[in-house]
Amino acid sequence: MRKRKLLSQRHPFLYFLAVNARRIKRQLEWVFDGKKYAKTKASDKLDFRIKKHQSVLLKKLGDNNEQLQINKVTNLKIASAKINGIIIKPGETFSFCKLVGLPTKKKGYLLGMELSFGEAKAGIGGGICQISNLIHWLVIHSPLTVTERYHHSFDPFPDDGRVLPFGSGATVFYNYLDYQFTNNTEHTFQINLWFTDKCLEGELRIDTELNYAYHVSEKEHQFLKIDHQFYRKNEIWRDKILKFEGGKIVATELIMKNFARVTYTPAEFLDTTE
């Protein structure tokens, strides 16, 4: 059975109206939701690092997308400049879309790969989710509270040097699919982003050293075949450990449970069709 298209998918003008309605709604929320959004940036780094991570810039994602990958690096550099050095004070909320803004040609953004309506295609500013993915990985290693996060409903490409667990990222689409977290602690945090020849690198810093840390791991990973369609599932867990007591675990929690359609044939899978 063919899946019925959404009304906004049937005509470009209807899609345009739907997107703009959602964007206006979000802009009103930014004004009236009562949140204090982080906007202060500092070139001086806070004293203590909580977590650092790097993400490879050019990856093999399907075929014939080399130029989109190269363009993505340009997009990443433009977007990361809007975030680098951002300070998140107690009570403040980090909003990816509010800081980065709408990616446009006028701002220098190029066609990059983005995932939309179940397929990978070219779009202006495509690829900047790599930044939100990295930031989310940093944040879940901290006491910061994720308040808004979305992930893709499908997995379009086989793993090629994947380092992070499947489903541990955070997709964004200006401005109604946002990535937000709130600082409900008494500490001040900072996100720094920079580039090497091969990687986007980032770190989360804090003004006071914590006596605990977090370890994030994947469990129950599996590919499934259900009614002639492939799916992927896993769970992502987090241990809170005491740094100065031999890594003693004082709390364990399930932070993500993922289940998504896969658009390729995995090498190994459990067939539940029959």
Side-chain angles (χ1 to χ4, degrees), residues 247-271:
K248 178 183 177 183
I249 298 175
V250 292
T252 299
E253 62 178 324
L254 173 65
I255 57 174
M256 285 173 249
K257 204 168 186 177
N258 299 300
F259 185 86
R261 182 171 61 88
V262 171
T263 58
Y264 55 88
T265 301
E268 297 181 4
F269 56 86
L270 176 64
D271 192 342

Side-chain angles (χ1 to χ4, degrees), residues 126-137:
I128 63 173
C129 289
Q130 190 167 343
I131 301 173
S132 55
N133 290 341
L134 186 150
I135 292 175
H136 182 59
W137 184 249

Side-chain angles (χ1 to χ4, degrees), residues 48 76 89 105 122 124 136 145 177 226 235 237 241 262:
F48 301 95
L76 290 173
K89 301 173 185 176
K105 288 183 179 180
I124 295 296
H136 182 59
T145 303
L177 296 184
I226 305 173
E235 296 176 357
W237 289 76
I241 61 177
V262 171

Side-chain angles (χ1 to χ4, degrees), residues 74 107 122 196 220 233 264-265:
T74 296
K107 295 177 182 177
T196 63
E220 305 295 330
K233 72 179 187 73
Y264 55 88
T265 301

Side-chain angles (χ1 to χ4, degrees), residues 192-244:
N192 296 306
L193 301 170
W194 65 94
F195 291 83
T196 63
D197 290 342
K198 295 183 178 180
C199 293
L200 163 66
E201 304 206 16
E203 65 176 0
L204 179 65
R205 301 187 75 91
I206 191 171
D207 59 352
T208 306
E209 186 172 17
L210 301 176
N211 63 0
Y212 60 89
Y214 294 95
H215 174 69
V216 179
S217 61
E218 177 186 55
K219 297 181 181 180
E220 305 295 330
H221 179 270
Q222 194 172 37
F223 286 101
L224 302 171
K225 186 177 182 182
I226 305 173
D227 294 331
H228 310 291
Q229 176 63 60
F230 293 104
Y231 297 88
R232 188 175 191 176
K233 72 179 187 73
N234 72 346
E235 296 176 357
I236 299 176
W237 289 76
R238 182 169 77 166
D239 293 331
K240 182 178 181 179
I241 61 177
L242 299 180
K243 295 195 296 187
F244 307 120

Side-chain angles (χ1 to χ4, degrees), residues 13-32:
F13 183 66
L14 294 176
Y15 175 74
F16 173 81
L17 288 178
V19 167
N20 274 293
R22 292 182 181 183
R23 286 178 173 168
I24 292 170
K25 180 175 181 290
R26 173 70 75 178
Q27 287 165 352
L28 291 172
E29 287 175 0
W30 281 341
V31 176
F32 298 110

